[in-house]
Amino acid sequence: MLRTVLRSGGALLKNTQLTNQRLRLAPAQQRWASSLPMNTVVLFVPQQEAWVVERMGRFHRILEPGLNFLIPVLDRIRYVQSLKEIVIDVPEQSAVSLDNVTLQIDGVLYLRILDPLKASYGVEDPEYAVTQLAQTTMRSELGKLTLDKVFRERESLNHNIVNSINQAAEDWGIKCLRYEIKDIHVPPRVKESMQMQVEAERRKRATVLESEGQREAAINVAEGCKQSQILASEGEKAEQINQAAGEAQAILAKAEAKSRAIKLLSEALAEQNGGAAASLSVAEQYVAAFSNLAKESNTLLLPANTSDITGMVTQAMSIYSTLAKPSGRLEALSSGTSEKQSEAPPSPSMSSQ
């Protein structure tokens, strides 16, 4: 019995040494199997960890968090998998875009183990496998986009990389939660051309905005001129209407005054000594007109007897008498006609009645 226990202890010690050698030789796997605990019959598994147990070299079961019991010698803890979210730094790599521009790009990968059994036996080194898969997927996705779209569609690029990794890592029991691109480095010449393009685009926008401002200013000035012309024309129209109304009222006032003056003159002439008053008025007007000769022009039309004022007055009164006779005749004829109509005998039809 003691010999059997010694042999078992030697085997366990040998396995522990081999495990330590593996951990020293493969430091990249320390996150996935940080330490392999010994079989002490009574084991306490921490939360968010899965211990894969083999019995006589074959998979037996996965220990759940808490208290667990194992059979010495026969059972051995082969893998320790962490169920927490794992962060993997994807190293920088070169990729060629669709427009043949070489880019240096790196990223960060976030994943979690969903099935410890597949993660233990489905792939030799899960971290290395997922990192290589992320790099190749990143290169293939960048080859589908141009340089401008790589910067604009960064979120969609991350989403496509996550979907591609999940499709390939399904058999490994690993799920990629998200992928983030950290830095994108472009060649210096391409960077200079991009800066020149950005500056040209900004100058273009500034020119467009300036031209739009000038256009708006010109439109505003034209609108102002248009409104001012409309208001000026409306003012001129109102002024002309008012002026025409004033002139019409002045003409009416002059006509009424003239008609009154003619009426008063006719009444004055009809009175006694009216002819003498008319002769006096004509003489005064003749003297006033004669005194204004040669004031406005040098051309003069003078009558033969300029000094004979009495003759001029007599001539004017004769013209007035000649013009006044037809009106008197018309009044006599109208009065005679009315008298005859009043003296005429009644018609037979009236007498029969």
Side-chain angles (χ1 to χ4, degrees):
M1 183 68 181
L2 180 62
R3 184 179 300 176
T4 303
V5 172
L6 291 176
R7 288 180 180 177
S8 301
L12 291 173
L13 181 62
K14 185 176 180 180
N15 291 333
T16 304
Q17 292 176 355
L18 291 175
T19 302
N20 293 331
Q21 290 179 0
R22 288 179 181 176
L23 292 175
R24 288 194 297 269
L25 292 176
Q29 297 182 3
Q30 291 180 2
R31 182 183 292 114
W32 303 87
S34 57
S35 61
L36 295 178
M38 295 180 59
N39 185 0
T40 58
V41 183
V42 179
L43 299 175
F44 297 94
V45 179
Q47 186 68 31
Q48 290 297 97
E49 284 191 6
W51 292 4
V52 180
V53 178
E54 292 181 352
R55 176 169 291 179
M56 293 183 294
R58 186 177 180 180
F59 171 75
H60 176 57
R61 66 190 181 99
I62 297 176
L63 300 182
E64 299 293 335
L67 178 62
N68 293 274
F69 298 94
L70 295 179
I71 301 175
V73 182
L74 299 180
D75 295 337
R76 185 167 67 98
I77 301 173
R78 186 69 177 82
Y79 298 100
V80 175
Q81 304 291 355
S82 175
L83 302 181
K84 301 177 183 179
E85 186 173 347
I86 302 170
V87 181
I88 300 176
D89 189 8
V90 180
E92 185 177 359
Q93 61 174 341
S94 62
V96 181
S97 62
L98 185 62
D99 49 356
N100 297 325
V101 177
T102 303
L103 303 174
Q104 297 293 329
I105 188 169
D106 57 356
V108 180
L109 186 64
Y110 299 86
L111 52 88
R112 176 177 293 170
I113 296 176
L114 300 180
D115 191 346
L117 178 61
K118 292 182 179 180
S120 301
Y121 297 99
V123 62
E124 180 65 26
D125 190 349
E127 181 178 355
Y128 179 76
V130 173
T131 303
Q132 294 298 317
L133 181 60
Q135 290 180 344
T136 55
T137 306
M138 188 192 310
R139 283 195 294 266
S140 63
E141 291 294 333
L142 286 176
K144 301 176 183 178
L145 301 175
T146 59
L147 180 60
D148 295 335
K149 290 185 177 180
V150 168
F151 294 98
R152 288 199 303 265
E153 300 181 2
R154 196 164 180 172
E155 185 176 356
S156 63
L157 181 62
N158 295 335
H159 183 69
N160 294 335
I161 292 174
V162 169
N163 291 335
S164 300
I165 293 175
N166 286 330
Q167 290 178 2
E170 186 178 359
D171 295 336
W172 302 340
I174 300 172
K175 181 180 180 181
C176 179
L177 301 178
R178 57 190 178 276
Y179 179 86
E180 298 293 338
I181 297 175
K182 289 198 299 184
D183 296 321
I184 300 176
H185 302 283
V186 297
R189 293 184 179 180
V190 177
K191 188 174 182 180
E192 292 177 359
S193 64
M194 291 174 64
Q195 292 178 353
M196 294 175 61
Q197 183 179 0
V198 171
E199 292 177 359
E201 187 68 25
R202 290 178 178 176
R203 287 195 297 267
K204 175 184 175 183
R205 292 179 182 176
T207 305
V208 170
L209 292 176
E210 184 178 1
S211 63
E212 289 180 354
Q214 293 177 356
R215 184 186 67 178
E216 293 292 335
I219 291 174
N220 292 334
V221 171
E223 285 289 336
C225 294
K226 177 183 176 182
Q227 293 295 331
S228 63
Q229 291 178 359
I230 291 174
L231 294 176
S233 62
E234 290 179 354
E236 292 177 358
K237 178 182 177 182
E239 182 180 0
Q240 292 177 0
I241 291 173
N242 294 333
Q243 185 177 1
E247 291 178 355
Q249 292 179 0
I251 292 171
L252 291 175
K254 289 180 180 179
E256 291 178 358
K258 190 172 183 181
S259 65
R260 292 178 182 178
I262 292 173
K263 185 177 181 181
L264 294 175
L265 182 60
S266 62
E267 292 177 356
L269 291 175
E271 294 179 355
Q272 188 178 3
N273 297 326
S279 299
L280 179 60
S281 177
V282 171
E284 288 177 353
Q285 292 180 1
Y286 177 79
V287 172
F290 190 78
S291 64
N292 291 328
L293 293 175
K295 286 187 177 180
E296 295 181 359
S297 64
N298 296 326
T299 304
L300 299 177
L301 295 176
L302 298 175
N305 50 353
T306 56
S307 61
D308 189 5
I309 299 175
T310 306
M312 294 298 297
V313 173
T314 304
Q315 186 179 359
M317 293 303 295
S318 64
I319 293 172
Y320 170 74
S321 300
T322 305
L323 294 175
K325 286 180 181 180
S327 61
R329 291 178 183 179
L330 290 174
E331 291 177 358
L333 289 174
S334 60
S335 62
T337 304
S338 60
E339 290 177 357
K340 288 180 181 181
Q341 289 179 356
S342 60
E343 294 176 356
S347 59
S349 58
M350 296 293 291
S351 58
S352 62
Q353 291 178 358

